[in-house]
Amino acid sequence: QQIGHMRSDSILTPKETEHAMKFIKHTSQLHLSNALHLRRVTAPLFVKSDIGLNDNLSGIEKPVSFTMEHYGINCEIVHSLAKWKRMKLYETNEQPNYGIYTDMNAIRKDEILDNIHSIYVDQWDWEKVIDDEQRNIDFLYHTIDLIYHALLDTEYAVCERYPKLKPFLPPTFKFITAEELVRLYPHLTPKEREKEICKKWGAVFICGIGGMLSNSTKHDHRAPDYDDWSTPVQVMSDELGEMIYNYGLNGDLLVWYEPLDIPIELSSMGIRVNEVSLRTQLEISNCEDYTQYTYHQMVLHNQLPQTIGGGIGQSRLCMILLHKKHIGEVQSSIWDDDTLNTCKNNQIHILQ
């Protein structure tokens, strides 16, 4: 927990906060859907355990599971809907440059609780169909730019409605690869690199997360079967003044959040695996057994559409746009006693 930054200076009352949260969620989905040509769909809270559709995140988290006793069907609460959305686009025969979004709710029981992490996850999960020619870093940048400006439009609308709130997001973001960060800050950990670059630019998209870097480490872990983190790309580094190679067509969007003096990840997204990158990533991750699932077979046989997609954290967006100190101020979840006592002592109003 960011104890040193906890003391509440909340701008809105708890009642105003509830109204503002509704406004942010309504407004952000309109801007996002318009920017990316998305239509809203209904999504599952749980999926069958034996079909391979749940998101494994970094590959080690265990989902909350249960059995439908009368039918013997094993189910899992979703972590996210990365693979489910792609199957949905296949079933509805969506055309290139159009897609879907949904109000995704999940339980991630392995999360370590702090100011920005909860076991309850709510995000706008989105996915759109692309052409083979759009599987490149330029199209990835273009999509991130559309998303970021949708967030700027949301911030503007919120500050117009609640004049006590002041905008703070920078007008644009810095696009940088994980490989560039290693070379810029070779003696720092990945989280320390994120802090340095995000504090410098205010908003950053770090491209290429999951693949091996030149120092034989990964910036962070990613499951092998949804984002493409193995395709090699060549980019011109403004920071280093040279062309460099990076692996991956995915990444994270982070913004610098002054009230807590930390970077906050708002979105994780990427171009999804094709048959080549999926096979490569399954081999690298020793997950060849995933090929038994229908979804993976369909990717390997080029039956699913090429897509790009990701998620945007609703509670985190509400938290930063309303200048809150703890994510519990904008979502109802379960917290340990230390968190509750610390928030109470610092006049942080936690929703329960």
Side-chain angles (χ1 to χ4, degrees):
Q1 294 179 352
Q2 304 290 320
I3 301 298
H5 301 273
M6 284 288 285
R7 192 69 183 176
S8 176
D9 52 2
S10 184
I11 296 172
L12 302 183
T13 67
K15 183 180 289 187
E16 289 174 325
T17 296
E18 293 277 13
H19 287 291
M21 288 161 52
K22 179 181 178 182
F23 179 75
I24 290 172
K25 292 181 181 184
H26 174 73
T27 304
S28 62
Q29 67 177 308
L30 292 179
H31 287 306
L32 178 67
S33 60
N34 288 336
L36 298 181
H37 302 147
L38 309 175
R39 62 181 178 86
R40 183 162 177 163
V41 298
T42 301
L45 175 61
F46 40 82
V47 294
K48 291 182 178 180
S49 302
D50 59 357
I51 60 176
L53 277 188
N54 206 354
D55 178 0
N56 292 331
L57 302 177
S58 67
I60 59 174
E61 292 85 353
K62 300 296 183 183
V64 175
S65 60
F66 62 94
T67 299
M68 297 172 60
E69 295 296 344
H70 291 294
Y71 306 97
I73 299 174
N74 296 320
C75 303
E76 298 174 353
I77 305 294
V78 297
H79 277 149
S80 84
L81 298 168
K83 290 174 279 189
W84 178 89
K85 292 176 297 182
R86 192 170 179 182
M87 289 289 285
K88 185 73 172 180
L89 291 172
Y90 165 77
E91 292 168 359
T92 57
N93 194 30
E94 208 68 51
Q95 297 303 300
N97 295 311
Y98 290 91
I100 56 176
Y101 79 99
T102 190
D103 186 356
M104 192 282 297
N105 296 280
I107 299 173
R108 297 180 182 173
K109 66 180 183 64
D110 296 323
E111 287 284 13
I112 303 299
L113 304 180
D114 59 23
N115 294 63
I116 62 174
H117 290 94
S118 166
I119 65 167
Y120 170 64
V121 179
D122 56 341
Q123 65 185 31
W124 297 123
D125 236 331
W126 64 273
E127 199 88 7
K128 66 186 293 185
V129 177
I130 62 175
D131 290 321
D132 288 342
E133 296 76 26
Q134 293 171 312
R135 291 183 53 82
N136 58 67
I137 202 164
D138 290 334
F139 183 75
L140 177 64
Y141 177 90
H142 172 69
T143 304
I144 302 157
D145 190 55
L146 292 175
I147 292 172
Y148 188 72
H149 280 87
L151 298 179
L152 289 177
D153 290 342
T154 301
E155 181 188 47
Y156 175 80
V158 173
C159 293
E160 281 283 289
R161 191 178 184 93
Y162 300 94
K164 291 183 290 185
L165 300 170
K166 303 302 179 185
F168 71 93
L169 294 176
T172 188
F173 64 93
K174 174 68 174 178
F175 186 93
I176 194 165
T177 65
E179 179 62 30
E180 288 176 88
L181 286 181
V182 165
R183 300 192 189 185
L184 285 171
Y185 309 110
H187 303 299
L188 300 183
T189 67
K191 292 303 179 185
E192 290 170 341
R193 291 176 215 142
E194 289 182 356
K195 185 171 184 177
E196 288 295 322
I197 198 68
C198 201
K199 189 170 186 177
K200 177 179 179 180
W201 292 99
V204 178
F205 185 85
I206 301 175
C207 177
I209 296 179
M212 197 65 69
L213 303 173
S214 59
N215 65 349
S216 299
T217 68
K218 297 180 179 181
H219 184 82
D220 200 357
H221 294 282
R222 288 293 187 273
D225 53 359
Y226 57 99
D227 278 351
D228 184 335
W229 44 257
S230 62
T231 294
V233 295
Q234 188 178 33
V235 296
M236 178 63 193
S237 170
D238 295 331
E239 298 290 312
L240 299 172
E242 60 179 294
M243 297 292 292
I244 67 168
Y245 284 95
N246 191 74
Y247 287 95
L249 295 168
N250 71 328
D252 292 343
L253 176 65
L254 304 98
V255 298
W256 182 253
Y257 193 53
E258 195 65 38
L260 294 177
D261 197 38
I262 59 171
I264 291 184
E265 178 195 318
L266 287 183
S267 177
S268 180
M269 58 164 288
I271 293 173
R272 306 308 197 183
V273 290
N274 59 11
E275 67 275 19
V276 175
S277 56
L278 176 60
R279 194 175 299 280
T280 298
Q281 292 172 194
L282 291 179
E283 291 176 358
I284 292 173
S285 306
N286 294 317
C287 293
E288 290 93 338
D289 58 319
Y290 284 15
T291 58
Q292 66 182 297
Y293 298 123
T294 300
Y295 164 84
H296 301 77
Q297 281 293 315
M298 293 180 75
V299 174
L300 293 172
H301 290 90
N302 201 25
Q303 295 173 327
L304 292 181
Q306 301 297 316
T307 64
I308 185 172
I312 299 174
Q314 294 181 35
S315 289
R316 286 192 181 179
L317 184 61
C318 288
M319 177 183 168
I320 68 168
L321 294 187
L322 299 181
H323 302 196
K324 299 295 186 179
K325 294 291 184 68
H326 197 283
I327 199 167
E329 296 182 83
V330 294
Q331 66 163 229
S332 182
S333 185
I334 294 178
W335 306 98
D336 61 286
D337 289 340
D338 286 344
T339 295
L340 293 175
N341 291 332
T342 300
C343 289
K344 182 179 179 179
N345 293 336
N346 287 277
Q347 299 177 2
I348 302 288
H349 180 78
I350 297 295
L351 301 179
Q352 292 190 66

